[in-house]
Amino acid sequence: MCLAIPAKITEMKDNRLATVDILGVTRDISIDLTPQANLGDFVLVHAGFAIEVVDPDYAQETIDLIKQFPELAGEDIPLGEVL
């Protein structure tokens, strides 16, 4: 099963790339599919792409759920430190 994770855009880069923070882990992602995304926005990230800009409240609700089920987040997200 694949899961899109909410992430906050912390830096806009050239070539439609952005740096995001996903539960304390930073990644560079493509924002080709979300040209409306801006610095500070929350986006759903799947397979290295922002697939949707989401409301901050929705993002926080989803993050809270992920913290309850850490096996959903994958191995590279340090949920043990966040909990």
Side-chain angles (χ1 to χ4, degrees):
M1 172 173 60
C2 296
L3 179 68
I5 303 280
K8 185 173 185 177
I9 296 176
T10 58
E11 181 182 353
M12 300 296 281
K13 297 185 169 192
D14 294 333
N15 299 322
R16 304 295 304 153
L17 295 176
T19 301
V20 295
D21 181 300
I22 305 172
L23 297 168
V25 175
T26 58
R27 295 278 187 264
D28 287 340
I29 63 162
S30 171
I31 54 172
D32 283 335
L33 303 175
T34 54
Q36 73 278 24
N38 292 302
L39 184 65
D41 283 346
F42 282 88
V43 292
L44 290 181
V45 177
H46 176 70
F49 288 86
I51 59 172
E52 183 179 353
V53 177
V54 295
D55 177 83
D57 292 331
Y58 172 82
Q60 188 60 54
E61 288 176 26
T62 304
I63 289 167
D64 291 343
L65 283 171
I66 291 168
K67 289 178 184 178
Q68 291 178 30
F69 300 97
E71 66 275 7
L72 297 177
E75 297 174 8
D76 59 341
I77 306 294
L79 290 179
E81 299 168 18
V82 177
L83 297 172

